[in-house]
Amino acid sequence: MNGVSAWVMQLDHVLSAAVGQMELIHIVDNPELIYVPKAPSYCNHVILWNSMVIPVLDLSAWLNDSTLVYRRNLVAIAVYKDKKGGLKYGGLHLADTPALQTVTNDDACNLPVSSSLWQKISISCFSNDEHAPIPIIDIPKIFSDALMSIR
Amino acid sequence: MNKAVANEQVNQLMVLKLNGIDLFVSQDEVVAHNDKQPLGYLENRQDAVGVINYNNHDVMCFYLNGEFEIQNRVPADFVTSVILEKNNYRIALMCKEVVQLEYTGLTLQDIPDCMSVKRSPLTGFCVYRKENDDLHLGMMTDTTSLVNYVGI
């Protein structure tokens, strides 16, 4: 059966999430993370990429309500449209290089029960023989101000 | 959204060097900066470090650490006070140093929605290039945001 391609991303040593193939446009290995005081703890760094300031979001920290833990310094650059239709870019902390995977309707499943927060930021979820349920995250939503009000 | 700005269209920027972090502000708003300016005693604000007289106005002076937290104890090497003024709002900050930014290109950018917090002195970011150098990032502020932040 035909499917669509999605990038499966390791957010930490346990959590995985996916985004559409065209939403992830670049991986930056070992970027200079610049600390921004007073920003939310899960998003208090930016990087310079293509002459732009990119916020770097730690979804693992947001989901676990914890501070940053040690991981490989790897940032995925996602592209999305904001409410006004303008192109925006955001970064996601990753624990490892993402993998491209084909997803079909038959792979649909329920969201992980590990956190009720998944349903606030996910479009859907899939699973296959190799993986536990992998939420497909709503990129425009996580880079809006929504995460601040959900918790 | 990025706002590309030609050098001649933007005011020059001054860099306020704080404790491990720099704040960038339009030069228009910097009305004075002095080393070892005497500070007057301020009775009703425990978090301010004192008051500076400027053009017959008492301007409250604050010290922000690297987390932008208001501290009333100033490190010994913070001897420069800068007075900012805009639309009749005034505030003074203690800095390690105040320098004019030298750059060859400048882009201004809003704070991303996912980082925006209500109580912050930041108004945005700037990306600039020094001559024959890589890109650099600066954190922008202005008088109004600082006044609101410290609650004058």
Side-chain angles (χ1 to χ4, degrees), chain A residues 9-136:
Chain A
M9 309 178 296
Q10 284 290 128
L11 301 177
D12 58 24
H13 63 289
V14 174
L15 298 174
S16 294
V19 296
Q21 182 183 13
M22 306 304 284
E23 290 181 300
L24 197 162
I25 58 169
H26 199 79
I27 299 292
V28 188
D29 197 359
N30 201 27
E32 182 189 1
L33 294 168
I34 301 161
Y35 176 63
V36 180
K38 295 297 175 192
S41 59
Y42 54 84
C43 190
N44 57 11
H45 288 87
V46 294
I47 62 171
L48 274 176
W49 178 78
N50 275 3
S51 305
M52 292 181 289
V53 182
I54 308 292
V56 182
L57 187 62
D58 187 340
L59 263 188
S60 166
W62 182 76
L63 287 160
N64 295 316
D65 197 15
S66 63
T67 53
L68 290 170
V69 292
Y70 176 78
R71 64 170 58 82
R72 187 176 162 190
N73 183 11
L74 196 65
V75 173
I77 305 291
V79 61
Y80 62 97
K81 285 187 177 178
D82 64 12
K83 289 175 183 172
K84 296 175 183 172
L87 275 187
K88 297 272 190 174
Y89 302 89
L92 284 166
H93 276 294
L94 300 186
D96 204 352
T97 310
L100 199 58
Q101 185 173 334
T102 302
V103 182
T104 70
N105 285 340
D106 292 341
D107 297 328
C109 69
N110 292 327
L111 288 164
V113 294
S114 56
S115 172
S116 60
L117 292 172
W118 280 120
Q119 64 182 304
K120 309 283 189 183
I121 60 167
S122 301
I123 302 166
S124 60
C125 189
F126 68 93
S127 179
N128 60 24
D129 293 340
E130 295 177 23
H131 297 287
I134 298 172
I136 300 174

Side-chain angles (χ1 to χ4, degrees), chain B residues 52-86:
Chain B
I52 296 173
N53 189 272
Y54 170 74
N55 280 356
N56 295 321
H57 295 285
D58 281 341
V59 182
M60 276 193 263
C61 186
F62 294 85
Y63 164 64
L64 304 180
N65 68 10
E67 297 283 340
F68 297 154
E69 289 164 346
I70 304 168
Q71 310 271 296
N72 57 10
R73 286 174 178 253
V74 185
D77 55 343
F78 277 63
V79 295
T80 303
S81 59
V82 59
I83 299 174
L84 307 176
E85 182 182 57
K86 185 180 181 183

Side-chain angles (χ1 to χ4, degrees), chain A residues 34-40 43-46 48 51-53 55 88 142-145 148, chain B residues 1-2 21 66-69 109 112-117 122 125 127 135-137 139 149:
Chain A
I34 301 161
Y35 176 63
V36 180
K38 295 297 175 192
C43 190
N44 57 11
H45 288 87
V46 294
L48 274 176
S51 305
M52 292 181 289
V53 182
K88 297 272 190 174
I142 63 171
F143 287 110
S144 70
D145 59 1
M148 278 182 259
Chain B
M1 180 173 286
N2 284 359
I21 205 155
E67 297 283 340
F68 297 154
E69 289 164 346
Q109 187 172 325
D113 292 340
C114 57
M115 303 192 92
S116 183
V117 286
L122 293 186
F125 298 109
V127 179
L135 287 174
H136 298 266
L137 178 142
M139 299 185 199
Y149 179 67

